[in-house]
Amino acid sequence: MRLSVLDLAPIAPGQNAGQSLAGSVELAQAAERLGFARVWYAEHHNMATIASSATSVLIAHVAAHTESIRLGAGGVMLPNHSPLVIAEQFGTLAELHPGRIDLGLGRAPGTDQRTWTALRRDIRASERFPEDVLELQGYLRGEPTVPGIKAIPGHGTDVPLTILGSSLFGAQLAAALGLPYAFASHFAPDALHQAVAVYRERFEPSAQLAEPYVIAGLNAVVAPTRAEAMAMQRTVIRSRVRSLLLRDTPAAAAVGDDELDALAASPQAAHVMKMVQHTALGTAEEATATLRSFLIEADADELIMAVHGTTAERITALELLEGAGALADQQAPAGRGDAVSPAR
């Protein structure tokens, strides 16, 4: 079972962004020490509880404090950016940390429409996502599609790309381009099985990847005892209810746990509960069993976990999973190594 970590750099109550980012370094160091495959960071904007907005900067910082683990974006929301700028940023990372950098690409803005306007991007930019992926890929391969333009750094670095998605659109694009496909089943599970089936059926081999390669996301709440894990899961659900239903307003901060629990049990929270449908929950043995069954259910080659809790609790979760044998095989499946290392 190939197992990786998705770190949203959560900002806990009473914590600032600097403390959160320090925790991300500690988490990556633990993942490296324990043998996890990689750590990815997701681009979000204008969210009070997430510190991973400047994804490439965070990757650079973590890479400088680790030695060998793969690091990357899961993902960069390409409609927010110029393909040339992303090629330069990740090309720089690849030159500084050869063989360690991944670039996952998403089509969503990673924020609300008003914040997207503040990012100075055209609201129609997502419609150009396939063309932007090809432009970005051209810069990184050293075969630019825009005459006379090179990404320096970036030109010829062949940073491996992965298409992220939660619908058939991303699955079809990844298949057509011969790229790995990562499905966001840790928060949008509905189309998982159909999207993976379409991707595998339509996959066309490419210079980067000979066979289809699927990464499926899920949540992980793991503790020494089931009671501790269930208490942590209640905290996770309360946080999502506060953020998604109450919009993290000043008034939301005053809402107590009992009220949040009642709201979580109401019909209004059905979509919030759906988001945590795929969760490895409980002791290390229970969580590992869930991971193994989900790997088969999702028809995935790799799982990437959004591990919840404080920094100490997340590191403990990784240690528990490693101790329970969740990392029995971290080698890429035969013929699929290019999904996790730069194509040359």
Side-chain angles (χ1 to χ4, degrees):
M1 182 160 57
R2 189 172 180 83
L3 202 57
S4 298
V5 177
L6 175 65
D7 181 10
L8 299 180
I11 304 174
Q15 189 181 53
N16 59 39
Q19 292 168 318
S20 167
L21 298 174
S24 290
V25 171
E26 293 179 41
L27 185 68
Q29 290 171 334
E32 179 176 77
R33 169 173 54 85
L34 295 167
F36 285 80
R38 58 178 126 212
V39 182
W40 277 2
Y41 305 94
E43 177 186 347
H44 293 278
H45 298 281
N46 195 29
M47 295 188 180
T49 57
I50 295 177
S52 56
S53 55
T55 313
S56 60
V57 178
L58 177 54
I59 293 169
H61 180 65
V62 175
H65 289 81
T66 52
E67 296 180 359
S68 60
I69 193 167
R70 295 194 69 87
L71 301 168
V76 162
M77 302 297 107
L78 194 53
N80 296 342
H81 309 279
S82 152
L84 176 60
V85 169
I86 296 302
E88 291 169 339
Q89 290 177 359
F90 279 78
T92 299
L93 289 169
E95 295 288 4
L96 291 170
H97 307 283
R100 295 183 58 196
I101 303 301
D102 301 323
L103 176 50
L105 301 170
R107 185 171 65 123
T111 188
D112 57 81
Q113 187 168 331
R114 183 172 62 175
T115 306
W116 202 12
T117 302
L119 290 168
R120 302 293 194 271
R121 296 298 289 164
D122 184 343
I123 197 67
R124 297 164 295 182
S126 60
E127 298 172 10
R128 301 191 297 271
F129 182 66
E131 293 80 7
D132 285 349
V133 172
L134 288 173
E135 182 181 341
L136 172 58
Q137 188 177 56
Y139 291 132
L140 294 171
R141 282 186 176 171
E143 302 169 355
T145 60
V146 181
I149 304 297
K150 289 184 178 181
I152 302 174
H155 187 81
T157 55
D158 273 333
V159 176
L161 304 182
T162 298
I163 300 297
L164 279 59
S166 58
S167 69
L168 298 187
F169 179 90
Q172 293 168 338
L173 180 62
L177 298 181
L179 295 176
Y181 180 52
F183 192 90
S185 35
H186 62 295
F187 73 87
D190 286 346
L192 170 63
H193 301 103
Q194 186 180 8
V196 171
V198 166
Y199 169 71
R200 290 196 179 278
E201 177 184 334
R202 301 187 184 183
F203 180 84
E204 295 289 339
S206 69
Q208 179 178 325
L209 191 63
E211 300 177 23
Y213 192 90
V214 173
I215 304 171
L218 78 165
N219 300 284
V221 181
V222 187
T225 68
R226 181 167 180 80
E228 290 174 284
M230 295 304 295
M232 290 165 60
Q233 177 73 338
R234 286 192 291 273
T235 299
V236 170
I237 292 173
R238 288 166 184 162
S239 176
R240 294 206 178 197
V241 167
R242 194 188 304 274
S243 175
L244 298 174
L245 296 186
L246 304 180
R247 302 299 179 188
D248 276 333
T249 61
V255 177
D257 288 348
D258 290 343
E259 295 169 288
L260 291 171
D261 291 342
L263 189 54
S266 70
Q268 300 99 296
H271 69 287
V272 176
M273 302 307 295
K274 186 75 172 176
M275 292 172 69
V276 296
Q277 173 182 331
H278 294 306
T279 299
L281 172 64
T283 63
E285 291 73 18
E286 290 172 323
T288 297
T290 299
L291 291 170
R292 294 194 185 284
S293 63
F294 181 64
L295 185 74
I296 297 169
E297 176 192 344
D299 192 15
D301 300 291
E302 177 178 340
L303 300 181
I304 187 163
M305 308 178 301
V307 187
H308 296 281
T310 64
T311 297
E313 288 169 339
R314 292 192 292 164
I315 291 173
T316 295
L318 298 188
E319 292 171 339
L320 289 169
L321 290 172
E322 190 273 341
L327 304 179
D329 182 6
Q330 283 295 300
Q331 298 302 311
R336 296 175 183 172
D338 284 345
V340 292
S341 61
R344 292 297 182 190

